[in-house]
Amino acid sequence: MISARTWKLERYAKQVKEWTHTIATPQEPVTLSVLNDHKLIVAQGTSKIHESLMLWESATWIKGVRKGAAILLMIKSPLSDSVRKIRFKFLPDNESSAEAQAIECATCLNAYFKFEKEYTKEAFSQFQQEPLQGTGKKLLISDMSKMMLNGDVTELLGELYSKTVFPKEQIRHMLTLCLSDPHFPGFVVEVEKLLKQMNSQTSNQMSSQ
């Protein structure tokens, strides 16, 4: 079983044009966890996952800012020029304040990516313009689906897309678990169907222009 360090949140917010907030309740607590397999999870209750980020080699595409009992993360997308923001406000526990909880979480995350002293528009703009290591191009989801189907990922994409952040032994373990699941072949078939559908829709849109 994968162990984790978990912090209770008062609220979680994400910015997609406008900020949307998820507030913790006794029935559905909101938590932020950093797992030993280098993954950040933001969960609500027992069944809803709001964020699932692989932290391995994330220093080029995530930056953080802590202020008081809150943490802001800026996350750069390799598929576009956009940078999205997510924000956490921490709850105290029986032994320490909410700010102490935020400091502890920031210290943990700082092992993966840099934390700025404060958030400024200038720093955000600079981070947005910094190129991701290993690629000189921006790709659409449709580009990725086409290359996945054609088997051109390693040949046509840069280093960023051609390498996995997962250790080989972890991939072997994940693959073993997947192959032991009787529903996995059906899942693979559906994924391939959707990739072909996305590729076909893109081709039709280009031909109609």
Side-chain angles (χ1 to χ4, degrees):
M1 184 176 180
I2 299 174
S3 59
R5 178 66 178 94
T6 298
W7 296 269
K8 293 181 179 179
L9 302 179
E10 178 183 312
R11 69 179 62 205
Y12 151 81
K14 63 179 179 180
Q15 186 183 43
V16 182
K17 294 186 178 180
E18 306 232 346
W19 283 99
T20 60
H21 297 262
T22 300
I23 300 174
T25 66
Q27 294 75 28
E28 288 195 309
V30 180
T31 58
L32 185 160
S33 298
V34 176
L35 308 184
N36 278 355
D37 64 348
H38 314 288
K39 186 178 290 186
L40 183 152
I41 301 289
V42 178
Q44 181 181 7
T46 58
S47 59
K48 188 168 186 179
I49 302 294
H50 289 285
E51 298 284 346
S52 178
L53 301 173
M54 178 54 68
L55 297 173
W56 200 283
E57 297 182 354
S58 61
T60 60
W61 54 277
I62 301 181
K63 281 192 177 179
V65 179
R66 185 197 65 81
K67 184 176 180 180
I71 285 178
L72 170 72
L73 298 186
M74 298 173 285
I75 305 168
K76 186 181 297 184
S77 170
L79 303 179
S80 69
D81 292 318
S82 65
V83 175
R84 70 185 184 96
K85 302 174 192 173
I86 58 177
R87 190 166 60 205
F88 319 112
K89 187 172 182 182
F90 291 76
L91 284 171
D93 64 10
N94 295 331
E95 299 179 354
S96 57
S97 66
E99 183 172 358
Q101 294 288 298
I103 292 172
E104 184 181 81
C105 181
T107 301
C108 176
L109 294 176
N110 195 47
Y112 298 100
F113 52 83
K114 183 180 178 181
F115 269 73
E116 303 289 347
K117 291 183 178 180
E118 62 180 2
Y119 173 82
T120 64
K121 290 183 179 179
E122 291 77 13
F124 175 76
S125 178
Q126 181 180 354
F127 176 60
Q128 191 171 23
Q129 294 172 19
E130 289 173 357
L132 287 169
Q133 292 182 359
T135 179
K137 64 184 78 175
K138 298 294 182 182
L139 297 171
L140 300 175
I141 294 292
S142 55
D143 296 326
M144 294 293 285
S145 66
K146 183 176 181 180
M147 292 177 185
M148 292 290 288
L149 282 173
N150 294 339
D152 297 333
V153 176
T154 301
E155 182 178 350
L156 298 180
L157 300 182
E159 181 182 353
L160 176 70
Y161 298 96
S162 302
K163 289 186 177 181
T164 176
V165 297
F166 288 96
K168 289 184 178 180
E169 285 305 313
Q170 188 172 332
I171 295 175
R172 181 188 298 274
H173 177 65
M174 292 169 61
L175 184 59
T176 300
L177 291 175
C178 289
L179 292 174
S180 64
D181 185 342
H183 298 104
F184 182 66
F187 171 78
V188 173
V189 170
E190 290 302 317
V191 168
E192 187 173 3
K193 285 181 181 177
L194 286 172
L195 285 172
K196 289 180 179 178
Q197 182 181 347
M198 294 169 69
N199 190 23
S200 176
Q201 288 175 346
T202 303
S203 300
N204 292 336
Q205 290 172 358
M206 293 180 63
S207 61
S208 63
Q209 291 177 352

